[in-house]
Amino acid sequence: MSLKAFHVLFIIISILLTALVGVWGVHQYVVHESGSSLALGGVFFFSGLGLVVYLLWYLPKLKEL
Amino acid sequence: MEIPYNVEERPDTGLYNGKLGIWLFLASEVMLFGGLFSSYILLRTGDPNWFKPELSVPMATLNTMVLISSSVTMVMAWASLRLQDFKKFRLFSAATFLLACAFMVIKGFEYNTEFSHHLYPSSNNFMATYFTMTGLHGLHVLGGMVVIAYLWGPGSRMWKTEPERFTNRVEITGLYWHFVDLVWIFLFPALYLL
């Protein structure tokens, strides 16, 4: 596997992590009324969106290399 | 005598020597960290009195962002070499090194906070596995930093004589770095959230 492919895999796993932490944050807020967990979930959710944008921007550029 | 397949790919494996070597090394690393993760799961599920103290989730969150960013700069460094832009390579690898430094400094602050709360590896099973896994991961980050610094500094002389081989060296360093980052991606939820 090349660095290109491993990077794409890494970003996809990172996006899954951000989604997991986002769901965890909402769950913690619902069960324990933890505002800080909700904030953390929000940070990860928006980071995940950033990573999705990066993946969509980066993937087409990979073909040039 | 020239060593074959240093630059070009071997026809049967489709890999050059360095890439085959790094994947064999990473396979052994998967077994090392896999064993530690398995131990953690077995210890945790087998102990009815499992105790997990509060850890600094914000600092770990920041470290997660730092490592994800460093994997992006690492790929940018390699891509710059593919595009024959050595100046950008140096810029991006310096950024990767600085992000790795930031990770270690944040981790140092985190350890310091834990020690100030009298949390040591001997405190309980969780802290023992926590310090073993994060400590071993930290050593891997440190190892990566040494290689990145070498390729940024004295090792970069190879760019003038053997540019393709140097680009390959950066690629296999990038593969190692992505593996180290991937380990953290699994460590973060396992140790801090669940």
Side-chain angles (χ1 to χ4, degrees), chain B residues 41-193:
Chain B
I41 292 164
L42 288 171
L43 280 170
R44 186 163 180 166
T45 53
D47 185 357
N49 303 312
W50 183 259
F51 174 70
K52 180 178 172 282
E54 282 290 312
L55 297 174
S56 178
V57 177
M59 275 203 259
T61 301
L62 186 60
N63 259 349
T64 306
M65 306 296 176
V66 165
L67 279 192
I68 292 173
S69 307
S70 78
S71 76
V72 172
T73 53
M74 188 76 226
V75 166
M76 297 292 188
W78 169 76
S80 304
L81 288 181
R82 291 290 296 237
L83 298 168
Q84 311 293 318
D85 194 338
F86 186 72
K87 274 186 183 173
K88 272 194 178 171
F89 156 75
R90 291 200 98 174
L91 186 75
F92 283 123
S93 37
T96 310
F97 183 81
L98 290 175
L99 286 165
C101 286
F103 176 87
M104 293 302 275
V105 168
I106 294 165
K107 200 76 211 147
F109 276 117
E110 211 185 322
Y111 275 3
N112 191 44
T113 309
E114 280 141 16
F115 293 148
S116 67
H117 288 95
H118 303 289
L119 292 169
Y120 303 105
S122 57
S123 301
N124 53 50
N125 274 344
F126 174 78
M127 291 315 292
T129 47
Y130 164 82
F131 278 113
T132 303
M133 292 169 90
T134 57
L136 188 66
H137 177 263
L139 284 176
H140 279 75
V141 173
L142 205 60
M145 285 169 69
V146 170
V147 177
I148 292 165
Y150 173 75
L151 291 175
W152 185 88
S156 67
R157 280 196 292 261
M158 188 187 260
W159 175 251
K160 285 178 186 164
T161 54
E162 295 175 274
E164 267 190 79
R165 195 170 169 201
F166 181 68
T167 307
N168 287 349
R169 281 188 172 186
V170 173
E171 183 180 23
I172 59 175
T173 306
L175 286 169
Y176 170 79
W177 193 250
H178 274 67
F179 173 79
V180 171
D181 294 352
L182 199 58
V183 169
W184 180 258
I185 293 291
F186 285 101
L187 279 178
F188 172 65
L191 295 175
Y192 291 86
L193 303 182

Side-chain angles (χ1 to χ4, degrees), chain A residues 18-46, chain B residues 193:
Chain A
T18 58
L20 177 83
V21 179
V23 171
W24 175 86
V26 174
H27 178 261
Q28 291 294 104
Y29 178 71
V30 171
V31 176
H32 304 292
E33 293 184 1
S34 167
S36 58
S37 297
L38 184 67
L40 182 75
V43 168
F44 268 83
F45 177 75
F46 285 107
Chain B
L193 303 182

